[in-house]
Amino acid sequence: MEVKTSLLDNMIGVGDMVLLEPLSEESFINNLKKRFDHSEIYTYIGSVVVSINPYRSLPIYSPEKVEEYRNRNFYELSPHIFALSDEAYRSLRDQDKDQCILITGESGAGKTEASKLVMSYVAAVCGKGAEVNQVKEQLLQSNPVLEAFGNAKTVRNDNSSRFGKYMDIEFDFKGDPLGGVISNYLLEKSRVVKQPRGERNFHIFYQILSGATEDMLNKLKLQRDFSRYNYLSLDSSRVNGVDDAVNFRTVRNAMQIVGFMDHETQSIFEVIAAVLKLGNIEFKPESRVNGLDESKIKDKNELKEICELTGIDQSVLERAFSFRTLEAKQEKVSTTLNVAQAYYARDALAKNLYSRLFSWLVTRINESIKVIFLYKVMGVLDIYGFEIFEDNSFEQFIINYCNEKLQQIFIELTLKEEQEEYIREDIEWTHIEYFNNAIICDLIENTGILAMLDEECLRPGTVTDDTFLEKLNQVCATHQHFESRMSKCSRFLNDTSLPHSCFRIQHYAGKVMYQVEGFVDKNNDLLYRDLSQAMWKANHSLIKALFPEGNPAKINLKRPPTAGSQFKASVATLMKNLQTKNPNYIRCIKPNDKKAAHIFSDALVCHQVRYLGLLENVRVRRAGYAFRQPYELCLERYKMLCKQTWPHWRGPARAGVEVLFNELEIPVEEYSYGRSKIFIRNPRTLFKLEDLRKQRLEDLATLIQKIYRGWKYRTRFLLMKKSQIVIASWYRRYAQQKKYQKIKSSSIVVQSYIRGWKVNRSVSCMRILIILQLNKNIYYWREFMQKYFLEMKSKMPSLSPIDKNWPARPYLFLDSTHKELKRIFHLWRCKKYRDQFTDQQKLIYEEKLEASELFKDKKALYPASVGQPFHGAYLEISKNPKYKKLKDAVEEKIIIAEVVNKINRANGKVIKCHCLIPKVSFFLFQGSGAAGKGDFLFSSDHLIEMATKLYRTTLSQTKQKLNIEISDEYAIFLSFLKGCVLPCSRLSDGKNCFPGPSQVWL
Ligand SMILES: Nc1ncnc2c1ncn2[C@@H]1O[C@H](COP(=O)(O)OP(=O)(O)O)[C@@H](O)[C@H]1O
Ligand SMILES: [Mg+2]
């Protein structure tokens, strides 16, 4: 048969089965074989990776290979699991699409290895840094821990996962891992107490006995001898190429990295030791009076050591192996256990201890790697593979059911939904037949076997595995994928290969015969309450935490959900989870049954290719389209590739895509228009689009950079130009003047400062410039002030206080300074003026000032008095001898002496009188004698002077202010006026009046 060589050079066979011509089962297998023989273990079916287990290490996972596949298009290099990992990771990082990697295949086909390769690739290409590296390490190191406790050697695989694992790796928006969460599915716990021939118990038991130090073994009360432990199968306790002691150290190291504390590790190993030792407890029957056998522990040494290790009260545990307490509502009934029941109880306890410890480990790891905020998720599913043993029990049934479900999701997404979508989208399509295993899933779940099993377990009355089988015979007998000897139509009565206690299911991957024995028990998964209570009472925090139902305060008489229904529920959750993510498939194939390298068994591979539906997969892929996307999303992603659609396309998205594809000259046979999506046939077209987009994005980035840089430098230029103008103007203004030489140099400093300034911080630069300007102003200020004062000096007005002249201000900004200067100058020249006065003049001016304060704007005759100097001594008493008598009459110093006109109040006649005002009293003389007592009414030419002096004298003598009433007109109330001296302005108007003694009316 001729196998067409790929487009890529040096390709062995065909790298992508889609290109295989002609396509047949034979060519398909041959192509796989040819590639396998040349160590090419990966082959594509479109984006699905088919992986064949090489059973030998190949040099294709080195760091150099990681670099080679990093950021490369899927089809650019020869098929590799790294290409798929890269594609998934980039799609997660760049397109924000949650991913899941679905790894399927039989037990031993290489699923676990594949999952580890995916994880290590992602860890290698994602971000770096101390924190990120720690997260990566924790995620990666969770594998050896879980493998030690959850994997075992089986006939199919030396490192067979005996639990299902789904791990979500969580990333931040940059694509750096933040942590993760692991879900585990049903551990095959029956292995703890019994292993099929040629198989081993879980690795950890052998690792601990081989690798622990003597000291540690002593502490755990263990001996370095597998043969001492009943739970360890001896015929295959050593596995070729596996060093349990080395692995033990790896596991301990991994536990440390994941975050287990020393005391936690110690507790875990104590539980492991307790489980091992439980297997060594043996029972013997002891007859009781009622004739029934009661089981007794043969040798209590082992029990004692278990209790010492775990802090359990020995008598409590011993009793729990001999009695069983049944509780129903308020009643408690205790029954003895016979030897078989005691063994059953012992094994149940060992299985429960171990499987609960395993779940606790997963929870504990999750605690270490958990994330609070998650952005993007990549799920990696590595679940136990489809398996067929000689004796298949409940566990295989569950495992195979899980694989049916996985096959179902593969069919749903790649075969069924894709074909249905073509029809829905009006794409021309010829239906491709495939086997849909939904019918088998239905046989197991819903109304099928699991439901029957649950019904049987919950039913009152005697329930055995046989009654369960009977029920199956009734309900499923006619199902085409179910076979049993007793089926209704007796189709299989003659089939002696089918024992009575068995049923057979025709799975998608082959027929499997299940032994019905143990189904009910394992589904019930019951642990006697006495045992769980004994465990809860342990003085061992881990064991106590593993058996919360043993707490008497929390007794729950309700049955816990059965193992089958729990598994069904968790598988359903898993399927839902997977459906929300973008799937990436790795289909693992086992080349031979011997775990041997270089052997390619055509029949075995052919069988797997058939049931995996790989040929149908190729057919759908060939006839179908590699890529489909809603028009809106497609346009959004590639619109930059065409002028009409970039940056905005105004119109229907489909029309935009049409324009885009025409413009890019993509051959019309490469794509089809659906109702709502564009379908691209060849992935290479898609990669071409992606490449163009990448190139265009770089161009656009360059454009943006260019414009930004232009803007940045232009802003800088403008700023510098402006600064230069400011500086230059200042420079020109002052540089020419010699006395401003300093400014010149400072301006040069400023200029060079700004030139040197990194103008990309233009805002700060502007600020600096303003500050510099201010500083400069301060500098100029001194110069200004000097100039200003010098100019002012030459323009000063006269020193006369009444000179109103003042030079105009030279600069607006000196306005307030100029006003202040004017005020200061005025005050100064007033002072200068005052300083010229003699004491006499000062006195006169004081009196004048007093007069002004008293009379200004109050008395009409006041202004006339302003020009008259106050003489006081108008009579020259001391000089003129004619006044000698007057002088003698008044001894004190006289401040006023003058002639006044006294007005007679009776008749209004005017008599000339001499008026003397000494410091303390007041005299009025008529002729040479006193002019009489009482009030006077008189007039004088020096009225203001007299009143002022009188006021000042009174104030200085009596410290009291003389009350002066001032008015220009008076009504005369002569009759009531009594003895008072009244200087009076006018007599003739007849209106002046006389106030009381301390008051002057004027
Ligand atoms: N890519 C590989 N390169 C080398 N050996 C492999 C590879 N994949 C699987 N193996 C070998 O096959 C064994 C079984 O693979 P494993 O992944 O445990 O199978 P599964 O998980 O499918 O049961 C591994 O222990 C390893 O020895
Ligand atoms: Mg595995």
Side-chain angles (χ1 to χ4, degrees):
M1 197 213 70
E2 194 193 324
V3 172
K4 201 177 154 189
T5 333
S6 157
L7 295 169
L8 297 167
D9 295 340
N10 306 325
M11 186 74 86
I12 313 290
V14 178
D16 187 347
M17 292 290 192
V18 172
L19 306 174
L20 186 66
E21 285 295 346
L23 176 67
S24 66
E25 195 171 86
E26 194 192 356
S27 65
F28 191 101
I29 307 289
N30 280 343
N31 189 38
L32 282 182
K33 185 174 184 179
K34 184 174 183 185
R35 290 178 62 75
F36 179 78
D37 289 344
H38 288 84
S39 304
E40 290 285 350
I41 60 165
Y42 300 115
T43 307
Y44 295 148
I45 303 176
S47 57
V48 173
V49 174
V50 177
S51 158
I52 305 182
N53 188 347
Y55 283 119
R56 67 195 162 102
S57 62
L58 295 173
I60 53 169
Y61 307 113
S62 61
E64 293 75 38
K65 276 279 168 193
V66 169
E67 280 311 310
E68 204 180 315
Y69 278 86
R70 191 176 184 154
N71 291 330
R72 299 289 284 270
N73 277 337
F74 195 69
Y75 295 102
E76 227 175 300
L77 299 167
S78 59
H80 202 294
I81 195 165
F82 286 172
L84 175 129
S85 314
D86 194 72
E87 183 70 13
Y89 175 68
R90 276 196 292 150
S91 171
L92 168 116
R93 189 191 58 194
D94 304 338
Q95 294 176 31
D96 276 345
K97 281 189 195 157
D98 282 353
Q99 304 288 319
C100 66
I101 317 279
L102 298 176
I103 310 169
T104 55
E106 288 183 13
S107 177
K111 298 181 297 298
T112 304
E113 291 300 317
S115 78
K116 288 192 278 192
L117 287 168
V118 171
M119 283 170 71
S120 59
Y121 180 82
V122 171
V125 297
C126 65
K128 304 224 160 30
E131 227 169 274
V132 175
N133 285 348
Q134 195 197 343
V135 173
K136 283 188 210 171
E137 267 302 283
Q138 285 190 326
L139 293 173
L140 293 178
Q141 291 300 325
S142 67
N143 282 332
V145 180
L146 291 180
E147 282 190 14
F149 288 85
N151 286 23
K153 175 198 149 104
T154 66
V155 284
R156 309 248 177 277
N157 181 356
D158 289 348
N159 182 32
S160 178
S161 322
R162 307 316 298 164
F163 69 106
K165 185 178 127 193
Y166 173 72
M167 182 172 194
D168 263 338
I169 309 173
E170 288 155 359
F171 296 84
D172 67 5
F173 66 97
K174 304 195 295 295
D176 288 350
L178 295 171
V181 55
I182 299 171
S183 310
N184 59 315
Y185 298 92
L186 212 64
L187 180 79
E188 185 202 32
K189 60 186 171 189
S190 60
R191 184 169 294 273
V192 176
V193 296
K194 190 165 179 272
Q195 305 88 37
R197 279 191 79 81
E199 301 199 353
R200 286 209 314 180
N201 207 326
F202 292 100
H203 294 325
I204 189 68
F205 293 112
Y206 304 91
Q207 289 177 352
I208 209 167
L209 294 185
S210 315
T213 58
E214 287 303 328
D215 183 44
M216 186 174 175
L217 284 180
N218 285 341
K219 274 191 194 147
L220 295 174
K221 303 182 192 300
L222 291 175
Q223 285 167 24
R224 204 186 293 285
D225 181 0
F226 300 152
S227 66
R228 292 191 66 93
Y229 300 100
N230 296 336
Y231 278 165
L232 301 185
S233 56
L234 303 175
D235 60 334
S236 51
S237 56
R238 301 263 170 222
V239 183
N240 279 345
V242 175
D243 187 335
D244 287 315
V246 170
N247 286 351
F248 184 63
R249 283 191 283 282
T250 312
V251 170
R252 290 209 63 176
N253 185 40
M255 286 173 95
Q256 224 170 17
I257 293 172
V258 172
F260 285 90
M261 316 290 277
D262 283 349
H263 71 269
E264 287 174 324
T265 317
Q266 178 64 22
S267 298
I268 292 164
F269 293 143
E270 281 165 5
V271 176
I272 297 293
V275 170
L276 265 185
K277 284 168 160 299
L278 268 177
N280 289 356
I281 293 181
E282 292 186 337
F283 303 94
K284 56 180 183 210
E286 214 174 75
S287 297
R288 283 180 44 146
V289 254
N290 60 7
L292 291 174
D293 273 353
E294 180 188 320
S295 87
K296 282 281 172 212
I297 293 171
K298 266 190 203 162
D299 172 10
K300 291 192 185 164
N301 218 11
E302 207 74 56
L303 183 77
K304 185 168 152 266
E305 285 186 355
I306 291 175
C307 292
E308 281 168 6
L309 263 178
T310 56
I312 300 173
D313 188 336
Q314 192 177 330
S315 60
V316 173
L317 190 55
E318 202 176 333
R319 196 188 141 76
F321 283 139
S322 304
F323 293 92
R324 183 182 172 196
T325 314
L326 296 170
E327 285 178 57
K329 299 198 174 144
Q330 261 83 42
E331 279 182 51
K332 269 191 187 178
V333 185
S334 211
T335 58
T336 52
L337 300 180
N338 61 27
V339 171
Q341 285 170 325
Y343 275 116
Y344 176 84
R346 178 198 74 171
D347 289 349
L349 178 61
K351 286 190 281 187
N352 266 286
L353 257 175
Y354 192 82
S355 68
R356 287 174 192 220
L357 173 73
F358 186 75
S359 298
W360 180 88
L361 277 172
V362 174
T363 315
R364 177 65 190 77
I365 293 173
N366 281 340
E367 237 169 65
S368 286
I369 59 175
K370 77 172 168 211
V371 178
I372 300 168
F373 301 110
L374 62 138
Y375 299 87
K376 307 166 187 180
V377 174
M378 181 185 283
V380 182
L381 180 72
D382 167 29
I383 211 145
Y384 17 48
F386 186 83
E387 54 191 28
I388 310 171
F389 290 110
E390 258 173 51
D391 286 340
N392 301 291
S393 184
F394 180 71
E395 286 83 357
Q396 275 65 50
F397 175 71
I398 288 292
I399 289 171
N400 292 343
Y401 158 59
C402 181
N403 279 276
E404 289 284 357
K405 291 295 284 182
L406 279 178
Q407 174 69 1
Q408 175 62 182
I409 200 168
F410 178 78
I411 287 172
E412 282 278 334
L413 296 178
T414 56
L415 300 175
K416 182 167 173 269
E417 215 164 78
E418 189 170 333
Q419 296 203 62
E420 283 173 2
E421 186 170 18
Y422 294 138
I423 310 287
R424 240 192 351 262
E425 291 277 335
D426 275 351
I427 301 281
E428 205 176 301
W429 186 255
T430 321
H431 186 72
I432 291 166
E433 283 302 325
Y434 60 92
F435 171 66
N436 189 344
N437 70 336
I439 184 167
I440 309 173
C441 295
D442 204 52
L443 168 69
I444 298 173
E445 48 185 27
N446 302 336
T447 52
I449 299 170
L450 274 179
M452 292 306 108
L453 185 58
D454 269 6
E455 230 179 81
E456 218 26 36
C457 289
L458 300 172
R459 170 172 76 79
T462 323
V463 175
T464 62
D465 294 321
D466 291 336
T467 60
F468 163 60
L469 187 58
E470 263 171 44
K471 189 155 205 159
L472 282 189
N473 284 335
Q474 285 168 19
V475 178
C476 312
T478 51
H479 198 286
Q480 13 175 168
H481 292 264
F482 179 86
E483 299 170 5
S484 83
R485 278 294 276 273
M486 300 304 290
S487 59
K488 257 190 199 156
C489 55
S490 307
R491 277 181 295 161
F492 306 104
L493 269 177
N494 298 328
D495 187 353
T496 46
S497 67
L498 187 60
H500 285 280
S501 60
C502 295
F503 65 91
R504 200 187 274 147
I505 295 179
Q506 196 180 344
H507 284 287
Y508 77 103
K511 286 187 176 183
V512 183
M513 188 173 72
Y514 297 100
Q515 307 280 347
V516 81
E517 188 193 334
F519 262 65
V520 169
D521 235 15
K522 286 173 180 170
N523 191 43
N524 269 330
D525 193 25
L526 285 182
L527 182 68
Y528 295 154
R529 189 163 293 141
D530 304 70
L531 282 171
S532 53
Q533 287 181 352
M535 292 299 115
W536 184 81
K537 282 186 199 142
N539 186 19
H540 190 281
S541 55
L542 176 56
I543 294 181
K544 206 179 180 74
L546 296 183
F547 292 86
E549 83 275 22
N551 184 350
K554 288 191 188 156
I555 278 192
N556 183 2
L557 294 178
K558 254 176 73 183
R559 288 180 63 102
T562 60
S565 62
Q566 275 184 44
F567 188 77
K568 202 169 80 179
S570 51
V571 165
T573 315
L574 173 70
M575 296 303 144
K576 248 191 196 162
N577 185 351
L578 295 178
Q579 272 160 349
T580 61
K581 298 186 166 82
N582 184 44
N584 302 271
Y585 295 100
I586 302 171
R587 311 287 269 166
C588 296
I589 288 181
K590 202 160 62 164
N592 60 68
D593 258 339
K594 302 183 173 71
K595 306 178 198 173
H598 304 295
I599 299 179
F600 188 95
S601 156
D602 287 27
L604 191 71
V605 174
C606 180
H607 174 64
Q608 293 170 74
V609 166
R610 262 185 216 163
Y611 76 67
L612 287 174
L614 296 187
L615 245 85
E616 291 86 338
N617 193 186
V618 179
R619 288 199 186 106
V620 171
R621 192 73 359 275
R622 263 150 78 113
Y625 298 81
F627 174 77
R628 73 214 72 150
Q629 202 171 40
Y631 291 119
E632 292 76 15
L633 293 181
C634 179
L635 189 62
E636 188 58 35
R637 190 155 180 86
Y638 304 113
K639 65 180 180 178
M640 67 291 290
L641 299 180
C642 163
K643 270 191 182 144
Q644 288 108 295
T645 52
W646 174 256
H648 300 293
W649 169 257
R650 309 207 187 278
R654 178 184 165 149
V657 173
E658 280 175 20
V659 168
L660 182 73
F661 278 45
N662 283 339
E663 176 83 16
L664 294 173
E665 292 175 358
I666 298 174
V668 281
E669 61 279 7
E670 277 297 316
Y671 59 93
S672 293
Y673 295 111
R675 276 170 189 265
S676 63
K677 290 179 183 171
I678 178 86
F679 289 76
I680 299 175
R681 193 174 294 282
N682 192 340
R684 286 185 176 83
T685 308
L686 183 67
F687 291 132
K688 185 181 153 200
L689 278 171
E690 280 293 314
D691 283 345
L692 287 172
R693 180 177 182 269
K694 208 166 137 192
Q695 181 55 44
R696 179 75 181 126
L697 284 183
E698 273 171 25
D699 292 349
L700 286 174
T702 314
L703 183 72
I704 293 169
Q705 251 176 0
K706 187 179 90 179
I707 290 173
Y708 170 72
R709 286 208 183 115
W711 170 82
K712 196 175 105 177
Y713 286 106
R714 181 159 171 74
T715 313
R716 180 175 181 233
F717 164 74
L718 290 176
L719 191 65
M720 287 188 67
K721 196 173 157 196
K722 207 171 142 191
S723 314
Q724 189 266 332
I725 290 168
V726 171
I727 293 161
S729 68
W730 284 106
Y731 175 77
R732 270 197 299 278
R733 188 161 173 185
Y734 295 104
Q736 293 130 351
Q737 298 172 30
K738 257 192 172 177
K739 61 183 175 181
Y740 292 116
Q741 280 306 308
K742 275 186 195 167
I743 295 172
K744 181 183 166 189
S745 60
S746 92
S747 152
I748 290 164
V749 169
V750 171
Q751 219 172 7
S752 55
Y753 195 162
I754 288 168
R755 275 201 191 124
W757 187 257
K758 292 205 167 48
V759 185
N760 57 355
R761 285 175 243 151
S762 48
V763 178
S764 330
C765 181
M766 192 55 111
R767 205 178 295 150
I768 291 283
L769 205 67
I770 291 165
I771 292 167
L772 284 174
Q773 205 70 48
L774 285 176
N775 286 340
K776 201 164 61 181
N777 282 347
I778 290 165
Y779 180 76
Y780 294 145
W781 179 252
R782 276 208 326 265
E783 307 290 323
F784 266 127
M785 291 318 282
Q786 268 179 13
K787 193 172 170 233
Y788 170 63
F789 285 125
L790 286 171
E791 276 173 13
M792 283 301 287
K793 194 177 164 191
S794 59
K795 290 183 195 161
M796 276 295 148
S798 73
L799 282 184
S800 164
I802 51 172
D803 187 349
K804 294 260 193 299
N805 290 329
W806 187 250
R809 61 167 153 64
Y811 306 104
L812 181 64
F813 78 95
L814 282 178
D815 189 50
S816 56
T817 314
H818 198 65
K819 281 182 183 149
E820 183 64 11
L821 192 64
K822 182 181 175 184
R823 195 180 71 81
I824 295 169
F825 176 74
H826 181 67
L827 291 175
W828 174 76
R829 72 182 171 188
C830 287
K831 184 173 181 304
K832 277 272 175 220
Y833 183 74
R834 284 198 305 274
D835 286 349
Q836 298 163 12
F837 294 163
T838 60
D839 289 348
Q840 184 69 26
Q841 278 173 313
K842 268 187 198 159
L843 191 70
I844 289 169
Y845 278 110
E846 271 173 27
E847 283 177 339
K848 278 283 177 197
L849 193 64
E850 193 88 62
S852 161
E853 278 165 10
L854 286 171
F855 300 109
K856 189 171 179 209
D857 299 332
K858 291 180 192 158
K859 192 77 184 162
L861 55 80
Y862 168 75
S865 77
V866 174
Q868 293 173 7
F870 287 175
H871 284 309
Y874 293 100
L875 290 182
E876 294 190 322
I877 290 178
S878 49
K879 289 180 189 164
N880 199 336
K882 83 176 183 190
Y883 298 128
K884 189 167 180 315
K885 251 188 191 168
L886 279 179
K887 194 184 171 235
D888 293 344
V890 183
E891 287 157 12
E892 303 142 63
K893 188 172 186 281
I894 288 163
I895 53 170
I896 282 203
E898 76 157 322
V899 177
V900 296
N901 297 320
K902 182 172 171 246
I903 301 151
N904 189 324
R905 266 180 291 170
N907 54 13
K909 277 192 180 165
V910 175
I911 306 159
K912 277 210 185 300
C913 288
H914 291 103
C915 175
L916 295 187
I917 304 177
K919 272 217 157 150
V920 287
S921 47
F922 182 86
F923 299 95
L924 201 60
F925 297 97
Q926 219 172 311
S928 57
K933 288 178 185 169
D935 303 334
F936 299 103
L937 185 66
F938 62 82
S939 72
S940 165
D941 289 343
H942 304 110
L943 179 75
I944 296 294
E945 184 181 355
M946 280 176 72
T948 305
K949 287 192 167 168
L950 198 60
Y951 179 83
R952 282 171 63 87
T953 308
T954 319
L955 190 65
S956 68
Q957 293 302 318
T958 63
K959 304 287 180 232
Q960 277 181 355
K961 282 185 177 173
L962 183 66
N963 216 350
I964 301 174
E965 279 288 320
I966 300 165
S967 177
D968 282 331
E969 288 184 358
Y970 295 96
I972 301 171
F973 307 106
L974 297 175
S975 53
F976 68 82
L977 290 172
K978 292 193 177 77
C980 183
V981 177
L982 286 181
C984 186
S985 61
R986 292 236 192 284
L987 181 73
S988 53
D989 62 9
K991 285 177 186 168
N992 293 341
C993 60
F994 301 86
S998 58
Q999 188 158 353
V1000 176
W1001 287 44
L1002 212 66

